[in-house]
Amino acid sequence: MSALGSNLRTWASHEVVPSRTGRRSVAISAFVVATALGAYAMVPLPWTPVPMTLQPLVVILAGALLGPMLGAAAMSTYLVIGALGLPVFSGGGAGVAWLMGPTGGYLLAYPAAALVTGWLAGGRNAGAVRLFGALAAGIAVVYLGGVAQLALLTGGTPASLLALGVLPFVAGDLVKVVLALLVALRLRPKTLDRVAPEA
């Protein structure tokens, strides 16, 4: 029985995708799909044109788990397929015109948010405080992009822009940062080992 268990453990430990390049492609694809699914987990808010979604959670996890460059690549790929017409934006939205609308600034900030998160998180052994700061900074980048585009579209005052584009989301996004922190603390060293550039 112990021989069978040993054989099963050996079999289970084999890499499904042995190529590092292949693992990177799979990781990017997985985060593209997760971001698209997060867009469908949408809660419209009556006082703002921007819905609440799970996408920010996926964006900051992409940066934390894949590192800055691959995280940004995953988010850039997501934007490209959405701009080309696949219904991957909130509520099934798609196309370049969607990126020019009230949610477009948030979406366009996703690659930069993943990049900043991954960069600030640093190496594989970053502690909880550093990771929390990196994840929160990623959310802040999303807010900056969103508010900048809302300012162009509405010409609103800073107070009205905060009321439309930031304040409705702060509590929910804080929960997402905490969830992302728990996931990153557990998975980050393993994922970075599998996809990071070889020495």
Side-chain angles (χ1 to χ4, degrees):
M1 188 65 176
S2 62
L4 175 61
S6 176
N7 288 337
L8 286 174
R9 279 193 298 275
T10 301
W11 177 80
S13 68
H14 283 270
E15 290 284 1
V16 176
V17 182
S19 159
R20 190 173 293 268
T21 301
R23 290 196 296 271
R24 290 175 186 158
S25 298
V26 169
I28 287 172
S29 300
F31 273 96
V32 169
V33 170
T35 309
L37 292 175
Y40 283 85
M42 180 184 79
V43 178
L45 302 175
W47 56 87
T48 175
V50 182
M52 185 178 295
T53 73
L54 286 179
Q55 290 170 294
L57 172 63
V58 181
V59 172
I60 58 177
L61 275 175
L65 297 181
L66 302 184
M69 301 311 293
L70 291 181
M75 294 303 108
S76 297
T77 303
Y78 166 74
L79 292 180
V80 168
I81 66 171
L84 290 175
L86 272 70
V88 295
F89 299 144
S90 59
V96 174
W98 192 270
L99 295 175
M100 302 299 109
T103 63
Y106 298 92
L107 294 168
L108 291 169
Y110 285 177
L115 182 78
V116 167
T117 300
W119 178 66
L120 291 178
R124 292 165 176 75
N125 299 316
V129 173
R130 180 169 184 166
L131 278 176
F132 183 88
L135 295 163
I139 294 289
V141 171
V142 174
Y143 287 160
L144 284 173
V147 167
Q149 186 145 317
L150 286 173
L152 291 173
L153 293 174
T154 68
T157 65
S160 68
L161 292 170
L162 284 174
L164 283 176
V166 175
L167 296 179
F169 310 105
V170 170
D173 285 340
L174 180 58
V175 172
K176 292 169 194 167
V177 167
V178 172
L179 289 174
L181 175 64
L182 295 175
V183 172
L185 285 172
R186 184 171 181 84
L187 299 181
R188 190 165 185 267
K190 293 179 183 177
T191 59
L192 288 179
D193 282 342
R194 286 179 168 83
V195 301
E198 292 176 297

